[in-house]
């Protein structure tokens, strides 16, 4: 277990018993889908219905809406960070591009969550700091590896790339295929041309 995972475990209090963990996982998945589809207007009742559990089960795991939002957000960040391993067999450039594609999907899905959490917690909260650090710890080595092999220009850093990709993820009125094309064009600007 990584330090970030251990910290997040303490933040979101994942259940240990198998049946409770199953319900927790169903609620997280249902909430992720509802927040992605409906944004911040998704009701807790709708989430419980989608998870096929009673509202009491939802409240046992997540006493407040904020607790559920926080847990979904942390789960999304952990999944994004862990997904780096999916690309370990790819070339440095291909691994970076594949992970950035996943980052865009993450950023698009978490928009409603982040906005609602920011309204309550603020950007300097420990949760956002830990999530930020987890993303940097996962993504920075991908960029460094691509720079070391000469496929990415040396005059950029991970913060530049995250800002660029985050901006692309916020493009309105574009379908996923168009977002992907824009992302690939922008990432092509990172390539090193001697």
């Amino acid at each position: 277990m990584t330090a970030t995972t251990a910290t997040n475990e303490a933040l979101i209090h994942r259940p240990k018993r198998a049946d409770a963990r199953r319900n927790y996982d169903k609620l997280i998945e249902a909430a992720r889908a509802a927040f992605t589809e409906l944004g911040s207007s998704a009701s807790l009742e709708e989430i419980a219905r989608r998870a096929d559990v009673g509202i009491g089960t939802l409240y046992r795991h997540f006493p407040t809406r904020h607790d559920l939002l926080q847990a979904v957000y942390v789960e999304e960040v952990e999944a994004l960070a862990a997904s780096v391993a999916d690309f370990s067999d790819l070339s440095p450039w291909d691994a970076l591009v594949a992970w950035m594609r996943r980052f865009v999907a993450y950023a698009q899905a978490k928009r409603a969550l982040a906005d609602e959490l920011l309204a309550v917690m603020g950007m300097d909260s420990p949760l956002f700091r830990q999530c930020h650090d987890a993303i940097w710890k996962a993504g920075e080595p991908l960029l460094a590896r691509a720079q070391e092999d000469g496929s990415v220009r040396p005059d950029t850093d991970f913060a530049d790339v995250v800002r660029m990709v985050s901006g692309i993820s916020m493009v309105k009125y574009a379908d996923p295929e168009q977002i992907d094309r824009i992302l690939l064009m922008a990432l092509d600007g990172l390539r090193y041309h001697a």
Side-chain angles (χ1 to χ4, degrees), residues 17 31-32 51 67 75 78 96 110 114 118 161-162 180 191:
R17 281 188 5 239
R32 178 182 297 119
D67 293 330
E75 293 274 344
E78 286 182 345
L96 179 65
K110 72 142 180 103
L118 277 171
V161 177
V162 167
D180 194 53
R191 284 190 180 266

Side-chain angles (χ1 to χ4, degrees), residues 29 32 37 48 81 84 86 90 97 99 108-109 155 170 186:
E29 187 56 39
R32 178 182 297 119
E37 181 184 330
V84 166
D86 297 345
L90 299 178
V97 170
W99 194 74
Q108 289 178 311
D155 64 341
M170 295 181 148

Side-chain angles (χ1 to χ4, degrees), residues 24-192:
Y24 176 94
D25 290 342
K26 286 171 33 179
L27 285 163
I28 291 290
E29 187 56 39
R32 178 182 297 119
F35 290 136
T36 299
E37 181 184 330
L38 305 171
S40 60
S41 67
S43 72
L44 296 181
E45 291 78 9
E46 171 66 12
I47 291 166
R49 184 191 63 71
R50 287 179 181 214
D52 198 27
V53 301
I55 193 71
T57 298
L58 184 144
Y59 281 115
R60 265 191 304 284
H61 288 286
F62 309 104
T64 68
R65 177 181 183 80
H66 178 77
D67 293 330
L68 179 58
L69 287 165
Q70 186 174 320
V72 172
Y73 187 81
V74 168
E75 293 274 344
E76 288 289 309
V77 169
E78 286 182 345
L80 175 64
S83 72
V84 166
D86 297 345
F87 311 118
S88 61
D89 292 340
L90 299 178
S91 73
W93 172 254
D94 290 338
L96 179 65
V97 170
W99 194 74
M100 285 298 149
R101 282 176 148 163
R102 197 160 286 173
F103 183 93
V104 166
Y106 149 81
Q108 289 178 311
K110 72 142 180 103
R111 196 174 311 152
L113 296 176
D115 290 345
E116 197 164 334
L117 285 171
L118 277 171
V120 174
M121 299 172 65
M123 196 62 174
D124 295 328
S125 74
L127 175 94
F128 280 123
R129 172 64 23 211
Q130 290 162 351
C131 289
H132 170 275
D133 292 349
I135 290 170
W136 252 248
K137 188 175 181 180
E140 271 186 320
L142 288 174
L143 179 63
R145 195 171 140 230
Q147 286 172 319
E148 287 166 9
D149 93 331
S151 57
V152 170
R153 51 194 291 169
D155 64 341
T156 190
D157 62 24
F158 191 65
D160 296 336
V161 177
V162 167
R163 284 185 182 100
M164 176 182 70
V165 172
S166 295
I168 292 167
S169 73
M170 295 181 148
V171 172
K172 293 184 179 187
Y173 314 115
D175 62 49
E177 290 165 7
Q178 186 177 26
I179 295 289
D180 194 53
R181 279 194 314 275
I182 294 168
L183 174 66
L184 293 177
M185 286 187 290
L187 289 175
D188 198 44
L190 290 176
R191 284 190 180 266
Y192 182 70

